[in-house]
Structures are given as C-alpha cells and as structure tokens.
C-alpha cells in the first residue's frame, strides 16, 4: 500500500495559501502515491482531469501527506 497521499485542494482566493486545508477547501481530490514526485504529478493531473483547478475566485493547492493507518474495531451489534 502506498505510504503517500496526493491531495489537490481547491480554495477560494479570499483564503491565504497557509489557511487552505482539507477543512477549508471548496473541493478535494485524494489519491495514493508511491513517491513524492508521483504525488505532486498525480494530484495536479487528477485535479485537471476533474476540471477543478483555476477559475474565477479560486486556486489549486497541491500537497502530499503521509497515509495514516486506521485500526478498524468491530463493535458487537445488538438485535
């Protein structure tokens, strides 16, 4: 499983780049990546193919994140 995630964030131009995050983005695309180079290229390509980047009043920010491992815990279901 790839350790990196390519993240393309579309944020409003009224928001600074520092404040553009998953919580503040207008749109988000996340995809797995095997290397930092693949991460940057994949995020830009994914955003472009989805028609997300650019436009009036918004901009694209590309980031790479380390994948976090989540442990699934099964809870008993009462019937």
């Amino acid at each position: 499983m790839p350790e990196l995630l390519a993240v393309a964030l579309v944020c409003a131009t009224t928001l600074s780049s520092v404040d553009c995050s998953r919580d503040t983005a207008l749109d988000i695309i996340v995809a797995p990546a095997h290397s930092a180079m693949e991460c940057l290229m994949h995020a830009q390509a994914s955003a472009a193919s989805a028609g997300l980047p650019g436009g009036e009043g918004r901009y694209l920010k590309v980031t790479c994140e380390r994948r976090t491992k989540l442990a699934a815990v099964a809870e008993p279901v009462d019937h």
Side-chain angles (χ1 to χ4, degrees):
M1 177 184 298
E3 292 184 24
L4 295 174
L5 294 174
V7 181
L9 305 170
V10 177
C11 289
T13 55
T14 56
L15 195 64
S16 73
S17 179
V18 173
D19 294 327
C20 179
S21 68
R22 284 181 181 235
D23 294 329
T24 60
L26 301 171
D27 286 308
I28 303 169
I29 292 181
V30 179
H34 292 88
S35 68
M37 182 61 77
E38 180 183 333
C39 181
L40 293 173
M41 290 174 22
H42 194 77
Q44 288 178 340
S46 295
S49 67
L52 292 183
E56 198 165 316
R58 58 191 181 145
Y59 66 93
L60 178 67
K61 178 178 178 179
V62 175
T63 64
C64 297
E65 301 174 357
R66 287 240 175 253
R67 181 186 296 269
T68 57
K69 295 180 183 179
L70 299 176
V73 178
E75 297 285 330
V77 178
D78 295 329
H79 291 281

